[in-house]
Structure formats: structure tokens, C-alpha cells
Amino acid sequence: MDLNLKDKKALIFGSTGGIGRSIAEALIKEGASVYINGRTIEKCKAIAQEIGAAGFYAGDLTQKGIAANITGQMITDHKGIDILVTNTGGPKKGSFLEVDLEQWESDFQSLWLSVVESLQKALPAMSAQKFGRVLLITSLAAKEPLPGLTTSNGLRAGLAGLVRSISNEYAKDGITLNLILPGYTNTDRLKALNLSEEKVKEMIPAGRLGEPEELADLATFLASPKAGYITGQSIAIDGGVLKGH
Ligand SMILES: NC(=O)c1ccc[n+]([C@@H]2O[C@H](COP(=O)([O-])OP(=O)(O)OC[C@H]3O[C@@H](n4cnc5c(N)ncnc54)[C@H](OP(=O)(O)O)[C@@H]3O)[C@@H](O)[C@H]2O)c1
């Protein structure tokens, strides 16, 4: 199937590794011009070269204004944006009383406000060209709380409401917005959480972890013009963990 992604301009946050990198690689294979992001210039430069990205915008999404600056800069530099993927590193673990206000503020900035900041810049540009694809990488925690991931459980649920609201406003402009909810996916993030792989697999009907490339295939379709009638949705890719939501 030709997904008509050739020369589409894509900005993918949090894409020097894990899920974001896999999405970047998949879009590059389809001929898109992909701009990647991560916290340091050195790593962005190395990964951009390795995967054949068109360029990069380094910046730390826990810092106020960074997502807005990067998105605005990308639109100015390349005269528009067709595809925006919001993504970043996962938050620290902690039960409710272990999470102090500083962590709430930092996680709110990186998981929530960075998304708002980049949408405020991208939507007017997409609207002007009557085409846009926005994908938010969140988590199955948006629908089913994960043990100890308090800020993720709280903040990610709200993003689905925000996307439903915005997708109502922008559907007529040819812009779709969808959330992808990864389940247990084989990346450095999962390793850092230090979970027992055996126990995790027992919770997954498919009996195995997801691969970031599988998620990237879904993202690539949703980012394409062919997916123009899918918007406002939260789509889990989790081997069957979530049910009845
Ligand atoms: N893997 C899973 O099982 C799973 C399940 C549910 C949800 N998720 C969520 O999906 C998202 C991606 O997960 P992943 O597994 O791909 O994580 P990962 O392997 O840790 O990769 C995270 C990516 O984000 C970048 N990043 C981290 N902090 C950043 C920051 N402050 N500013 C800008 N970029 C930043 C990293 O690049 P640099 O190091 O170069 O900055 C890296 O490219 C996370 O939010 C995670 O919580 C993952």
C-alpha cells in the first residue's frame, strides 16, 4: 500500500531511542522528511545521521517553552509541518505520597504542557494547509493505572479528553489527532523500570512484550493521508491487556 508519505514533513519528539526512534525510522522508510528530538545535540546528531533523518532539534521537554520553540522553529525552517508526534521519556516511579510537588511540576511540563505548547504552534500551520496528522504517544496507564506510576496514571488520562476536544475543532480542516497507548514495549524505558519479565508476560494475553517496530507500523498508518477518517481516538497496542475500555 502506498501511504503517500513521501516528502511529508514530520517532527517527532523524544526520538533518539525507543518508540520515538522506531516511528522516525518507519516514516523515513516511507520517504518522509523526519526531524528528530532528544535532550542533547550530540546524541541527536549521531542518531539523525544513523537513521537518515532530515535534521534534528535538541531540547529538554521538562523545560517550559522548549516544545513551543522547537515546533515554531521547525515550521519556520521548513515552511510548515505535516506530522507531529509528541513523545518523551517516562516519569519516575512513586506512590502518591512519594511524589513531591517538584516532580508533579516537572512531569506536568513534560507529559502535558509540552504537548499543549507544540499543538499551539502546529495547529494553525496545519490548518492553513488543510492537512495535519498529530499522534500523542502516551501509555496504557491512560486507561488502567500502572503500579507506582502515579503522575503518568493521572496526567495521561486527561490528554485523551484534550484530544477529543481539539479533534472536534480541527476535523473539518483535514487534521486528525489520535493517541497511541503503548503496552509493555521492549525499550530501554521498560528495562529501567526493573520489572520481572516473567511476571509482565503473565499479564499480557499475547504472552510477550510488544516491539517498538510494531507500534511504529500503527503510527505510520495513522500519520498517513489514508487515515483521514480516524480522529479523536485512543488506540492501545498492548497484546490484549486492556479490555472493555
Ligand atoms: N516502553 C514501554 O513499555 C512503555 C509503556 C507505556 C508507555 N510508555 C511511554 O512511552 C514513551 C516512550 O517510551 P520509550 O519506551 O520509547 O522510552 P525510552 O526508550 O526511554 O526513550 C525515550 C526517548 O525520549 C527522549 N527523552 C527522554 N527525556 C526527554 C526529555 N526530557 N526531553 C526530550 N526528549 C527526552 C530520549 O532521548 P534522549 O535520551 O536523547 O533525551 C529517548 O529518545 C514514554 O513516555 C513512556 O513512559 C512506554
Side-chain angles (χ1 to χ4, degrees):
M1 193 189 327
D2 181 0
L3 291 174
N4 291 320
L5 282 161
K6 196 166 175 331
D7 298 330
K8 289 271 183 276
K9 292 170 255 188
L11 173 60
I12 307 179
F13 283 102
S15 50
T16 58
I19 290 167
R21 174 180 170 152
S22 286
I23 296 174
E25 289 185 291
L27 288 175
I28 290 166
K29 271 198 201 119
E30 293 296 323
S33 297
V34 172
Y35 299 86
I36 65 165
N37 156 262
R39 285 166 289 189
T40 65
I41 292 176
E42 296 71 27
K43 195 165 165 191
C44 282
K45 203 173 178 178
I47 302 296
Q49 207 166 23
E50 199 178 314
I51 68 175
F56 64 85
Y57 293 93
D60 182 345
L61 298 171
T62 62
Q63 304 302 309
K64 191 174 172 186
I66 293 292
N69 289 346
I70 289 175
T71 314
Q73 196 60 51
M74 147 101 190
I75 292 165
T76 306
D77 291 347
H78 307 291
K79 301 188 176 50
I81 179 169
D82 300 303
I83 298 163
L84 169 68
V85 180
T86 68
N87 181 48
T88 187
K92 268 202 306 204
K93 277 177 96 167
S95 64
F96 179 66
L97 288 180
E98 284 166 352
V99 178
D100 58 21
L101 278 180
E102 233 169 83
Q103 189 188 336
W104 273 109
E105 278 166 6
S106 170
D107 290 351
F108 184 55
Q109 179 62 45
S110 66
L111 297 180
W112 236 97
L113 285 182
S114 72
V115 176
V116 172
E117 285 181 14
S118 69
L119 284 175
Q120 283 179 338
K121 296 285 181 187
L123 288 172
M126 290 176 169
S127 205
Q129 65 191 17
K130 298 284 179 225
F131 178 85
R133 295 283 178 270
V134 179
L135 299 175
L136 284 73
I137 308 303
T138 65
S139 170
L140 55 77
K143 291 197 172 179
E144 189 71 42
L146 296 173
L149 284 168
T150 306
T151 57
S152 177
N153 295 337
L155 296 169
R156 283 172 153 153
L159 281 175
L162 177 70
V163 163
R164 283 195 294 273
S165 168
I166 302 174
S167 62
N168 270 349
E169 284 185 49
Y170 284 89
K172 284 200 174 70
D173 288 348
I175 301 172
T176 66
L177 299 101
N178 293 290
L179 301 101
I180 296 182
L181 280 46
Y184 295 94
T185 311
N186 190 11
T187 66
D188 289 349
R189 161 71 177 167
L190 196 66
K191 290 179 196 113
L193 285 174
N194 237 342
L195 306 170
S196 143
E197 200 168 318
E198 281 320 299
K199 282 201 178 132
V200 168
K201 283 181 182 167
E202 277 168 23
M203 294 188 290
I204 306 171
R208 64 170 178 86
L209 300 179
E211 294 300 326
E213 294 78 13
E214 294 177 295
L215 196 142
D217 286 341
L218 170 66
T220 303
F221 177 70
L222 290 174
S224 77
K226 294 232 180 253
Y229 208 51
I230 305 171
T231 192
Q233 302 303 306
S234 293
I235 303 169
I237 174 156
D238 65 355
V241 174
L242 286 181
K243 293 185 190 66
H245 289 282

Tab-separated table of all heavy atoms in Angstrom, residues 34-85:
chain	number	residue	atom	x	y	z
A	34	VAL	N	12.047	13.621	8.101
A	34	VAL	CA	11.815	13.495	9.533
A	34	VAL	C	12.843	14.300	10.336
A	34	VAL	O	14.045	14.203	10.095
A	34	VAL	CB	11.859	12.003	9.947
A	34	VAL	CG1	11.821	11.848	11.457
A	34	VAL	CG2	10.695	11.247	9.307
A	35	TYR	N	12.345	15.066	11.302
A	35	TYR	CA	13.190	15.831	12.219
A	35	TYR	C	13.021	15.220	13.594
A	35	TYR	O	11.892	15.051	14.065
A	35	TYR	CB	12.793	17.322	12.188
A	35	TYR	CG	12.991	17.878	10.800
A	35	TYR	CD1	11.987	17.762	9.837
A	35	TYR	CD2	14.223	18.413	10.418
A	35	TYR	CE1	12.199	18.188	8.530
A	35	TYR	CE2	14.433	18.839	9.106
A	35	TYR	CZ	13.421	18.728	8.177
A	35	TYR	OH	13.642	19.138	6.879
A	36	ILE	N	14.161	14.868	14.213
A	36	ILE	CA	14.083	14.159	15.489
A	36	ILE	C	14.417	15.091	16.648
A	36	ILE	O	14.894	16.219	16.451
A	36	ILE	CB	14.984	12.894	15.510
A	36	ILE	CG1	16.476	13.278	15.398
A	36	ILE	CG2	14.582	11.921	14.413
A	36	ILE	CD1	17.416	12.139	15.767
A	37	ASN	N	14.167	14.603	17.860
A	37	ASN	CA	14.438	15.387	19.078
A	37	ASN	C	14.924	14.447	20.189
A	37	ASN	O	14.540	13.292	20.262
A	37	ASN	CB	13.153	16.110	19.528
A	37	ASN	CG	13.136	16.459	21.016
A	37	ASN	OD1	12.557	15.737	21.826
A	37	ASN	ND2	13.778	17.544	21.375
A	38	GLY	N	15.769	15.011	21.030
A	38	GLY	CA	16.223	14.360	22.255
A	38	GLY	C	16.861	15.471	23.068
A	38	GLY	O	16.878	16.630	22.628
A	39	ARG	N	17.406	15.124	24.247
A	39	ARG	CA	17.883	16.211	25.122
A	39	ARG	C	19.211	16.821	24.709
A	39	ARG	O	19.471	17.980	25.006
A	39	ARG	CB	17.982	15.694	26.566
A	39	ARG	CG	16.627	15.564	27.216
A	39	ARG	CD	16.694	14.745	28.475
A	39	ARG	NE	16.924	13.336	28.179
A	39	ARG	CZ	16.871	12.362	29.048
A	39	ARG	NH1	16.622	12.638	30.314
A	39	ARG	NH2	17.062	11.105	28.697
A	40	THR	N	20.068	16.039	24.047
A	40	THR	CA	21.396	16.604	23.751
A	40	THR	C	21.680	16.664	22.253
A	40	THR	O	21.254	15.792	21.489
A	40	THR	CB	22.526	15.766	24.408
A	40	THR	OG1	22.533	14.476	23.807
A	40	THR	CG2	22.334	15.620	25.906
A	41	ILE	N	22.436	17.694	21.897
A	41	ILE	CA	22.798	17.879	20.491
A	41	ILE	C	23.610	16.678	19.990
A	41	ILE	O	23.373	16.160	18.901
A	41	ILE	CB	23.615	19.184	20.314
A	41	ILE	CG1	22.711	20.387	20.588
A	41	ILE	CG2	24.223	19.277	18.919
A	41	ILE	CD1	23.420	21.727	20.543
A	42	GLU	N	24.555	16.229	20.827
A	42	GLU	CA	25.465	15.157	20.384
A	42	GLU	C	24.685	13.909	19.987
A	42	GLU	O	24.898	13.327	18.928
A	42	GLU	CB	26.466	14.787	21.508
A	42	GLU	CG	27.429	15.884	21.906
A	42	GLU	CD	26.753	17.035	22.682
A	42	GLU	OE1	25.720	16.790	23.343
A	42	GLU	OE2	27.253	18.178	22.601
A	43	LYS	N	23.762	13.487	20.880
A	43	LYS	CA	23.015	12.246	20.598
A	43	LYS	C	22.085	12.448	19.401
A	43	LYS	O	21.979	11.586	18.528
A	43	LYS	CB	22.223	11.818	21.843
A	43	LYS	CG	21.718	10.399	21.780
A	43	LYS	CD	21.286	9.920	23.155
A	43	LYS	CE	20.444	8.671	23.088
A	43	LYS	NZ	19.812	8.363	24.364
A	44	CYS	N	21.423	13.604	19.341
A	44	CYS	CA	20.515	13.880	18.210
A	44	CYS	C	21.295	13.793	16.896
A	44	CYS	O	20.834	13.190	15.929
A	44	CYS	CB	19.909	15.274	18.324
A	44	CYS	SG	18.571	15.396	19.504
A	45	LYS	N	22.464	14.418	16.894
A	45	LYS	CA	23.277	14.466	15.674
A	45	LYS	C	23.656	13.052	15.228
A	45	LYS	O	23.496	12.682	14.062
A	45	LYS	CB	24.547	15.271	15.980
A	45	LYS	CG	25.205	15.869	14.797
A	45	LYS	CD	26.323	16.774	15.283
A	45	LYS	CE	27.056	17.379	14.140
A	45	LYS	NZ	28.108	18.282	14.599
A	46	ALA	N	24.112	12.253	16.197
A	46	ALA	CA	24.557	10.891	15.882
A	46	ALA	C	23.394	10.048	15.371
A	46	ALA	O	23.515	9.346	14.355
A	46	ALA	CB	25.181	10.243	17.114
A	47	ILE	N	22.249	10.123	16.053
A	47	ILE	CA	21.116	9.272	15.656
A	47	ILE	C	20.533	9.761	14.327
A	47	ILE	O	20.161	8.957	13.470
A	47	ILE	CB	20.023	9.238	16.758
A	47	ILE	CG1	20.610	8.732	18.092
A	47	ILE	CG2	18.827	8.377	16.326
A	47	ILE	CD1	21.109	7.321	18.102
A	48	ALA	N	20.471	11.082	14.149
A	48	ALA	CA	19.933	11.612	12.884
A	48	ALA	C	20.745	11.072	11.707
A	48	ALA	O	20.201	10.647	10.689
A	48	ALA	CB	19.938	13.135	12.895
A	49	GLN	N	22.068	11.061	11.891
A	49	GLN	CA	22.950	10.558	10.827
A	49	GLN	C	22.728	9.057	10.604
A	49	GLN	O	22.623	8.597	9.473
A	49	GLN	CB	24.386	10.818	11.231
A	49	GLN	CG	25.312	10.953	10.054
A	49	GLN	CD	26.640	11.543	10.487
A	49	GLN	OE1	27.019	11.456	11.670
A	49	GLN	NE2	27.360	12.124	9.565
A	50	GLU	N	22.624	8.328	11.737
A	50	GLU	CA	22.484	6.865	11.656
A	50	GLU	C	21.205	6.449	10.919
A	50	GLU	O	21.217	5.506	10.142
A	50	GLU	CB	22.466	6.332	13.092
A	50	GLU	CG	22.783	4.875	13.226
A	50	GLU	CD	22.775	4.462	14.701
A	50	GLU	OE1	23.367	5.190	15.552
A	50	GLU	OE2	22.154	3.431	15.002
A	51	ILE	N	20.106	7.139	11.199
A	51	ILE	CA	18.827	6.670	10.632
A	51	ILE	C	18.422	7.434	9.367
A	51	ILE	O	17.412	7.121	8.765
A	51	ILE	CB	17.690	6.722	11.682
A	51	ILE	CG1	17.327	8.169	12.075
A	51	ILE	CG2	18.034	5.906	12.909
A	51	ILE	CD1	16.139	8.267	13.021
A	52	GLY	N	19.199	8.456	9.016
A	52	GLY	CA	18.879	9.212	7.796
A	52	GLY	C	17.778	10.241	8.000
A	52	GLY	O	16.997	10.507	7.073
A	53	ALA	N	17.724	10.825	9.200
A	53	ALA	CA	16.740	11.887	9.438
A	53	ALA	C	17.151	13.139	8.660
A	53	ALA	O	18.328	13.342	8.362
A	53	ALA	CB	16.658	12.205	10.934
A	54	ALA	N	16.153	13.983	8.363
A	54	ALA	CA	16.446	15.214	7.619
A	54	ALA	C	17.137	16.238	8.517
A	54	ALA	O	17.810	17.152	8.029
A	54	ALA	CB	15.146	15.790	7.069
A	55	GLY	N	16.962	16.107	9.823
A	55	GLY	CA	17.603	17.034	10.755
A	55	GLY	C	17.147	16.756	12.177
A	55	GLY	O	16.482	15.743	12.444
A	56	PHE	N	17.515	17.660	13.079
A	56	PHE	CA	17.124	17.450	14.489
A	56	PHE	C	16.959	18.781	15.189
A	56	PHE	O	17.505	19.818	14.764
A	56	PHE	CB	18.149	16.590	15.223
A	56	PHE	CG	19.506	17.231	15.346
A	56	PHE	CD1	19.802	18.108	16.387
A	56	PHE	CD2	20.505	16.963	14.416
A	56	PHE	CE1	21.042	18.711	16.500
A	56	PHE	CE2	21.761	17.565	14.510
A	56	PHE	CZ	22.028	18.445	15.557
A	57	TYR	N	16.193	18.737	16.265
A	57	TYR	CA	16.029	19.885	17.162
A	57	TYR	C	16.214	19.368	18.584
A	57	TYR	O	15.327	18.700	19.120
A	57	TYR	CB	14.638	20.506	17.002
A	57	TYR	CG	14.437	21.138	15.650
A	57	TYR	CD1	13.877	20.421	14.601
A	57	TYR	CD2	14.845	22.446	15.418
A	57	TYR	CE1	13.731	20.992	13.346
A	57	TYR	CE2	14.700	23.025	14.167
A	57	TYR	CZ	14.143	22.297	13.134
A	57	TYR	OH	13.997	22.861	11.893
A	58	ALA	N	17.363	19.650	19.180
A	58	ALA	CA	17.610	19.171	20.538
A	58	ALA	C	16.894	20.065	21.543
A	58	ALA	O	16.734	21.270	21.307
A	58	ALA	CB	19.115	19.160	20.808
A	59	GLY	N	16.465	19.503	22.661
A	59	GLY	CA	15.831	20.304	23.698
A	59	GLY	C	15.177	19.406	24.728
A	59	GLY	O	14.693	18.323	24.400
A	60	ASP	N	15.181	19.877	25.980
A	60	ASP	CA	14.672	19.095	27.107
A	60	ASP	C	13.220	19.476	27.378
A	60	ASP	O	12.925	20.611	27.776
A	60	ASP	CB	15.557	19.389	28.331
A	60	ASP	CG	15.143	18.588	29.552
A	60	ASP	OD1	14.025	18.025	29.566
A	60	ASP	OD2	15.948	18.540	30.498
A	61	LEU	N	12.326	18.513	27.192
A	61	LEU	CA	10.892	18.802	27.295
A	61	LEU	C	10.399	18.988	28.731
A	61	LEU	O	9.235	19.321	28.934
A	61	LEU	CB	10.088	17.679	26.611
A	61	LEU	CG	10.371	17.547	25.106
A	61	LEU	CD1	9.716	16.296	24.532
A	61	LEU	CD2	9.897	18.795	24.359
A	62	THR	N	11.275	18.818	29.710
A	62	THR	CA	10.854	19.172	31.075
A	62	THR	C	10.953	20.688	31.286
A	62	THR	O	10.533	21.205	32.314
A	62	THR	CB	11.703	18.459	32.163
A	62	THR	OG1	13.056	18.895	32.026
A	62	THR	CG2	11.628	16.948	32.051
A	63	GLN	N	11.533	21.389	30.317
A	63	GLN	CA	11.725	22.840	30.450
A	63	GLN	C	10.634	23.612	29.711
A	63	GLN	O	10.354	23.332	28.537
A	63	GLN	CB	13.090	23.257	29.884
A	63	GLN	CG	14.273	22.538	30.487
A	63	GLN	CD	14.351	22.728	32.004
A	63	GLN	OE1	14.291	23.853	32.501
A	63	GLN	NE2	14.449	21.621	32.727
A	64	LYS	N	10.048	24.574	30.408
A	64	LYS	CA	8.972	25.388	29.831
A	64	LYS	C	9.423	26.075	28.531
A	64	LYS	O	10.521	26.631	28.477
A	64	LYS	CB	8.581	26.451	30.871
A	64	LYS	CG	7.320	27.186	30.541
A	64	LYS	CD	6.936	28.093	31.694
A	64	LYS	CE	5.768	28.951	31.239
A	64	LYS	NZ	5.412	29.947	32.202
A	65	GLY	N	8.584	26.032	27.526
A	65	GLY	CA	8.842	26.780	26.286
A	65	GLY	C	9.640	26.031	25.240
A	65	GLY	O	9.677	26.448	24.075
A	66	ILE	N	10.284	24.931	25.633
A	66	ILE	CA	11.143	24.220	24.662
A	66	ILE	C	10.323	23.619	23.519
A	66	ILE	O	10.669	23.763	22.340
A	66	ILE	CB	11.976	23.115	25.377
A	66	ILE	CG1	12.991	23.755	26.328
A	66	ILE	CG2	12.641	22.177	24.391
A	66	ILE	CD1	14.096	24.523	25.641
A	67	ALA	N	9.213	22.961	23.854
A	67	ALA	CA	8.405	22.320	22.793
A	67	ALA	C	7.838	23.379	21.851
A	67	ALA	O	7.773	23.170	20.634
A	67	ALA	CB	7.279	21.493	23.412
A	68	ALA	N	7.449	24.530	22.404
A	68	ALA	CA	6.924	25.617	21.559
A	68	ALA	C	8.020	26.137	20.640
A	68	ALA	O	7.811	26.316	19.429
A	68	ALA	CB	6.384	26.749	22.436
A	69	ASN	N	9.213	26.366	21.210
A	69	ASN	CA	10.319	26.898	20.392
A	69	ASN	C	10.687	25.943	19.261
A	69	ASN	O	10.884	26.368	18.122
A	69	ASN	CB	11.581	27.109	21.251
A	69	ASN	CG	11.406	28.281	22.187
A	69	ASN	OD1	10.473	29.074	22.019
A	69	ASN	ND2	12.269	28.386	23.192
A	70	ILE	N	10.783	24.657	19.604
A	70	ILE	CA	11.197	23.669	18.598
A	70	ILE	C	10.157	23.579	17.488
A	70	ILE	O	10.495	23.605	16.294
A	70	ILE	CB	11.420	22.279	19.256
A	70	ILE	CG1	12.695	22.311	20.115
A	70	ILE	CG2	11.479	21.172	18.203
A	70	ILE	CD1	12.963	21.041	20.903
A	71	THR	N	8.890	23.510	17.869
A	71	THR	CA	7.843	23.370	16.842
A	71	THR	C	7.798	24.625	15.968
A	71	THR	O	7.729	24.537	14.733
A	71	THR	CB	6.470	23.107	17.499
A	71	THR	OG1	6.629	22.105	18.505
A	71	THR	CG2	5.447	22.643	16.474
A	72	GLY	N	7.871	25.789	16.595
A	72	GLY	CA	7.862	27.046	15.846
A	72	GLY	C	9.042	27.132	14.898
A	72	GLY	O	8.908	27.529	13.732
A	73	GLN	N	10.205	26.717	15.392
A	73	GLN	CA	11.422	26.768	14.574
A	73	GLN	C	11.322	25.833	13.366
A	73	GLN	O	11.678	26.191	12.254
A	73	GLN	CB	12.629	26.386	15.453
A	73	GLN	CG	13.974	26.752	14.872
A	73	GLN	CD	14.122	28.254	14.637
A	73	GLN	OE1	13.875	29.032	15.544
A	73	GLN	NE2	14.491	28.645	13.423
A	74	MET	N	10.808	24.637	13.639
A	74	MET	CA	10.654	23.652	12.534
A	74	MET	C	9.722	24.221	11.452
A	74	MET	O	10.000	24.093	10.248
A	74	MET	CB	10.098	22.360	13.148
A	74	MET	CG	9.177	21.552	12.288
A	74	MET	SD	10.018	20.163	11.548
A	74	MET	CE	8.794	19.603	10.368
A	75	ILE	N	8.636	24.853	11.878
A	75	ILE	CA	7.672	25.397	10.902
A	75	ILE	C	8.312	26.534	10.101
A	75	ILE	O	8.144	26.631	8.881
A	75	ILE	CB	6.391	25.867	11.640
A	75	ILE	CG1	5.659	24.645	12.197
A	75	ILE	CG2	5.479	26.675	10.719
A	75	ILE	CD1	4.603	24.963	13.228
A	76	THR	N	9.079	27.372	10.782
A	76	THR	CA	9.761	28.469	10.085
A	76	THR	C	10.826	27.926	9.131
A	76	THR	O	10.896	28.322	7.961
A	76	THR	CB	10.458	29.394	11.115
A	76	THR	OG1	9.472	29.802	12.054
A	76	THR	CG2	11.087	30.607	10.472
A	77	ASP	N	11.641	26.993	9.626
A	77	ASP	CA	12.758	26.476	8.823
A	77	ASP	C	12.288	25.730	7.585
A	77	ASP	O	12.948	25.759	6.541
A	77	ASP	CB	13.628	25.505	9.636
A	77	ASP	CG	14.400	26.208	10.744
A	77	ASP	OD1	14.450	27.446	10.734
A	77	ASP	OD2	14.942	25.503	11.632
A	78	HIS	N	11.180	25.009	7.710
A	78	HIS	CA	10.782	24.101	6.617
A	78	HIS	C	9.417	24.453	6.030
A	78	HIS	O	8.790	23.637	5.377
A	78	HIS	CB	10.842	22.645	7.107
A	78	HIS	CG	12.169	22.323	7.707
A	78	HIS	ND1	13.323	22.232	6.954
A	78	HIS	CD2	12.558	22.182	8.998
A	78	HIS	CE1	14.355	22.008	7.760
A	78	HIS	NE2	13.918	21.981	9.000
A	79	LYS	N	8.988	25.655	6.320
A	79	LYS	CA	7.733	26.178	5.735
A	79	LYS	C	6.552	25.240	5.958
A	79	LYS	O	5.824	24.878	5.025
A	79	LYS	CB	7.907	26.473	4.243
A	79	LYS	CG	9.004	27.491	3.988
A	79	LYS	CD	9.055	27.927	2.549
A	79	LYS	CE	10.093	29.009	2.326
A	79	LYS	NZ	11.426	28.729	2.864
A	80	GLY	N	6.375	24.859	7.220
A	80	GLY	CA	5.192	24.063	7.555
A	80	GLY	C	5.537	22.785	8.285
A	80	GLY	O	6.718	22.473	8.528
A	81	ILE	N	4.484	22.066	8.629
A	81	ILE	CA	4.629	20.786	9.310
A	81	ILE	C	3.406	19.947	8.945
A	81	ILE	O	2.288	20.444	8.966
A	81	ILE	CB	4.755	20.974	10.837
A	81	ILE	CG1	4.886	19.639	11.565
A	81	ILE	CG2	3.563	21.754	11.421
A	81	ILE	CD1	5.273	19.767	13.040
A	82	ASP	N	3.655	18.675	8.576
A	82	ASP	CA	2.537	17.797	8.205
A	82	ASP	C	2.201	16.819	9.328
A	82	ASP	O	1.046	16.465	9.512
A	82	ASP	CB	2.902	16.986	6.946
A	82	ASP	CG	3.205	17.905	5.760
A	82	ASP	OD1	2.340	18.711	5.411
A	82	ASP	OD2	4.326	17.817	5.211
A	83	ILE	N	3.245	16.361	10.002
A	83	ILE	CA	3.054	15.308	11.004
A	83	ILE	C	3.764	15.717	12.293
A	83	ILE	O	4.936	16.103	12.272
A	83	ILE	CB	3.673	13.973	10.501
A	83	ILE	CG1	2.959	13.510	9.215
A	83	ILE	CG2	3.592	12.892	11.580
A	83	ILE	CD1	3.742	12.464	8.427
A	84	LEU	N	3.031	15.663	13.394
A	84	LEU	CA	3.625	15.949	14.708
A	84	LEU	C	3.406	14.728	15.598
A	84	LEU	O	2.278	14.267	15.751
A	84	LEU	CB	2.941	17.169	15.342
A	84	LEU	CG	3.271	17.434	16.815
A	84	LEU	CD1	4.733	17.853	16.988
A	84	LEU	CD2	2.343	18.514	17.393
A	85	VAL	N	4.511	14.216	16.155
A	85	VAL	CA	4.389	13.115	17.116
A	85	VAL	C	4.920	13.614	18.454
A	85	VAL	O	6.094	13.990	18.555
A	85	VAL	CB	5.190	11.868	16.662
A	85	VAL	CG1	5.042	10.743	17.681
A	85	VAL	CG2	4.737	11.399	15.284
